[in-house]
Amino acid sequence: MPRRPLARLASALGAGALLLAGCANPSTGSADDDPTKPVTLTFWHGWSEKNEVKAINDSIARFEKLHPNITVKSVGNVTDETINQALRAGGGDAPDVVTSFTTNNVGQYCSSGMWVDLDPFMEKTGLDKKKVFPKTLLDYTSYQGKQCALPLLADAYGMYYNKDAFKEAGIERPPRTMSELKRDAAKLTRRTKGGGLERVGFMPNFRLYQNSPDRLFAQWGPAYFDKDGKARLAKEGKIKAFYATVRDLIREQGGYGALETFRTSFGDEFSSQNAFLTGKLAMHLDGEWRGLFLKDAKFDWGTAPLPVPDDQADTYGRGFLTGTVTGIAHSSKHQNAAWELVRFLTADTDQVVAFANAIHNVPSTKAALTSPKLDPDPAFRAFLDIAQNKYSNALPPSVNGGQYVVSLRDFSYGVEAGKVHDLDKGLKELDDQIDADILQAQD
């Protein structure tokens, strides 16, 4: 599914402030309802594209056929902010089942009590979460031991590459290590007669489309926080290697100024003028849904995992994972019935496969990931492998959502532009800022 993560993140952070400010007395619902009795559930989600809405409505129809006593009222295109305001207010207008595209906010959902702990529901209905869901997906749907959400499809990030450009440059396969990436990016970069850029091998600039720094940094397998929850980026040696790689890529392809000027010539990410689609990028970091937008590409293209650091070559195949999460509102008076819907959407293999095929997302259960009913498209299969790779990772949840990701992004803008002259000092200040933001959120 196409996402605009940074815009969603900014909205979610605003919602987080509202949530934390108003979570002292969340409305109390009930788990005493009989899920076999007639009931109407309200389901709020964020999907809005025509094919996405059809897919979720088809999913609900399948659920209602299995549970004829439960009617689901579906409301789409709902933001985290709207959901959080409704959950704070409680009452009859609040939803029973909710979803979010922002996994970073799971720490808020769990710690605030606005999303109920799902472990008791799984226990009484016999769902073994460790057998059903991949570990990384369970990690990003829980916080401090509380499983207040479950994954509802996932997104995996990898590399799209222009096979025609590779053939022209004499490159036989996608790069697997960062040194190969730098070498190939330089070979694939093509300049105009006037010295400007016509095509870039791999643009690392953090303002480009999906290039939030955490996504490429994931290839190093970083640890953002220590066991006490304190930011540790200044102590994370991998971040220096990450920034060094980014600076090398920038330098070898014309410099930051030239790349930024070239980037401003790109069309909108979700338009026919996307820079990869128009041949201005030979390699590109993106999610599994991008293939839906490349059906009319005038060149041969393929997918592969993103390269990994040379000293971690054995982890090749890994990638950054995120996705949609769903849970039960604390204020719901029909939590057992709501759990039946959550369980169906997240753990029923045929349902997960059908939904994944419909919106071209990665399935979020172990059984669905290996189902023969999955889309056979080999370009899509590359992302299924990334999702199952034991080294793939996701961002850790935090009590104030993705604020630390925004802080990292803003800091990274300065690094790539050459404005951070003392990296050690800058990283220490970044850690202090992240810790202060978290402390403020806990007050």
Side-chain angles (χ1 to χ4, degrees):
M1 114 192 59
R3 300 173 189 271
R4 292 171 172 80
L6 296 183
R8 291 191 190 279
L9 181 57
S11 173
L13 287 171
L18 289 169
L19 174 60
L20 291 167
C23 68
N25 296 293
S27 299
T28 301
S30 172
D32 296 327
D33 61 302
D34 183 347
T36 66
K37 299 294 185 183
V39 65
T40 296
L41 298 176
T42 301
F43 173 45
W44 283 9
H45 62 82
W47 287 289
S48 59
E49 298 293 332
K50 185 177 180 180
N51 72 302
E52 297 171 349
V53 173
K54 181 182 184 303
I56 196 64
N57 287 342
D58 288 346
S59 300
I60 290 170
R62 289 190 287 269
F63 171 77
E64 290 178 333
K65 185 175 181 179
L66 289 173
H67 299 268
N69 64 297
I70 302 177
T71 300
V72 180
K73 178 184 177 183
S74 177
V75 180
N77 199 23
V78 183
T79 66
D80 282 36
E81 183 174 3
T82 299
I83 290 173
N84 292 334
Q85 288 174 336
L87 297 190
R88 283 170 52 227
D93 293 331
D96 297 288
V97 177
V98 289
T99 67
S100 172
F101 294 146
T102 313
T103 58
N104 306 335
N105 281 348
V106 168
Q108 293 178 331
Y109 305 148
C110 292
S111 62
S112 68
M114 289 294 184
W115 290 31
V116 304
D117 187 357
L118 298 178
D119 277 322
F121 296 92
M122 286 186 274
E123 183 177 352
K124 66 185 177 182
T125 55
L127 192 155
D128 188 335
K129 64 183 181 182
K130 292 183 180 179
K131 291 183 179 179
V132 174
F133 303 103
K135 181 182 182 302
T136 302
L137 276 60
L138 281 178
D139 288 344
Y140 72 58
T141 51
S142 64
Y143 181 68
Q144 295 184 344
K146 187 175 183 180
Q147 192 79 48
C148 73
L150 286 176
L152 178 56
L153 302 191
D155 290 321
Y157 284 79
M159 172 182 286
Y160 286 80
Y161 65 101
N162 185 324
K163 290 185 176 181
D164 292 348
F166 269 58
K167 184 176 181 180
E168 173 192 300
I171 303 172
E172 295 183 356
R173 61 164 174 79
R176 296 174 183 168
T177 64
M178 290 299 165
S179 62
E180 290 181 353
L181 175 63
K182 288 184 280 188
R183 178 199 67 199
D184 293 348
K187 287 178 91 172
L188 289 160
T189 296
R190 195 164 62 189
R191 291 174 172 79
T192 65
K193 291 182 179 179
L197 289 166
E198 182 177 306
R199 183 180 70 204
V200 168
F202 179 86
M203 181 177 282
N205 298 43
F206 299 129
R207 288 180 170 83
L208 172 67
Y209 299 161
Q210 299 289 322
N211 279 20
S212 180
D214 48 291
R215 292 184 185 140
L216 183 56
F217 190 27
Q219 298 308 103
W220 275 259
Y224 286 84
F225 301 99
D226 63 21
K227 61 181 178 61
D228 298 317
K230 298 289 187 181
R232 61 174 308 277
L233 289 171
K235 299 176 182 178
E236 177 59 278
K238 295 173 182 177
I239 198 167
K240 293 182 181 180
F242 163 60
Y243 284 136
T245 297
V246 169
R247 285 194 294 258
D248 287 347
L249 283 164
I250 289 172
R251 183 179 60 253
E252 293 175 15
Q253 296 176 98
Y256 177 74
L259 288 176
E260 275 295 282
T261 297
F262 190 50
R263 184 184 65 82
T264 61
S265 72
F266 296 170
D268 182 79
E269 177 182 1
F270 296 102
S271 75
S272 61
Q273 296 304 303
N274 174 283
F276 180 73
L277 182 58
T278 55
K280 292 184 176 181
L281 300 173
M283 296 180 282
H284 183 48
L285 180 163
D286 218 326
E288 77 286 339
W289 64 83
R290 180 58 54 194
L292 290 176
F293 295 82
L294 299 176
K295 301 300 183 183
D296 297 324
K298 293 180 172 56
F299 55 87
D300 192 14
W301 58 273
T303 59
L306 286 163
V308 296
D310 289 57
D311 61 356
Q312 298 186 55
D314 61 327
T315 67
Y316 178 69
R318 79 187 327 169
F320 177 79
L321 302 180
T322 184
T324 303
V325 299
T326 188
I328 299 172
H330 190 277
S331 56
S332 173
K333 305 292 185 182
H334 315 290
Q335 292 178 10
N336 288 315
W339 165 246
E340 292 303 320
L341 176 59
V342 169
R343 179 168 61 151
F344 174 76
L345 292 175
T346 62
D348 183 284
T349 302
D350 287 342
Q351 159 58 24
V352 173
V353 170
F355 193 28
N357 284 341
I359 67 174
H360 211 69
N361 273 193
V362 173
S364 43
T365 69
K366 294 177 181 179
L369 280 164
T370 58
S371 170
K373 297 179 182 178
L374 269 179
D375 187 339
D377 182 354
F380 185 50
R381 290 278 167 178
F383 294 96
L384 301 181
D385 292 340
I386 292 170
Q388 297 176 83
N389 186 284
K390 66 179 181 179
Y391 296 108
S392 291
N393 57 92
L395 286 169
S398 172
V399 70
N400 66 343
Q403 180 59 53
Y404 74 93
V405 185
V406 175
S407 297
L408 172 66
R409 180 195 65 190
D410 292 343
F411 178 75
S412 298
Y413 288 162
V415 173
E416 69 177 358
K419 296 178 180 179
V420 178
H421 303 294
D422 188 333
L423 188 57
D424 288 322
K425 179 182 178 183
L427 287 170
K428 178 63 171 64
E429 292 173 349
L430 176 60
D431 281 347
D432 290 343
Q433 178 186 341
I434 292 172
D435 288 340
D437 290 340
I438 290 175
L439 184 62
Q440 182 179 9
Q442 292 172 333
D443 290 343

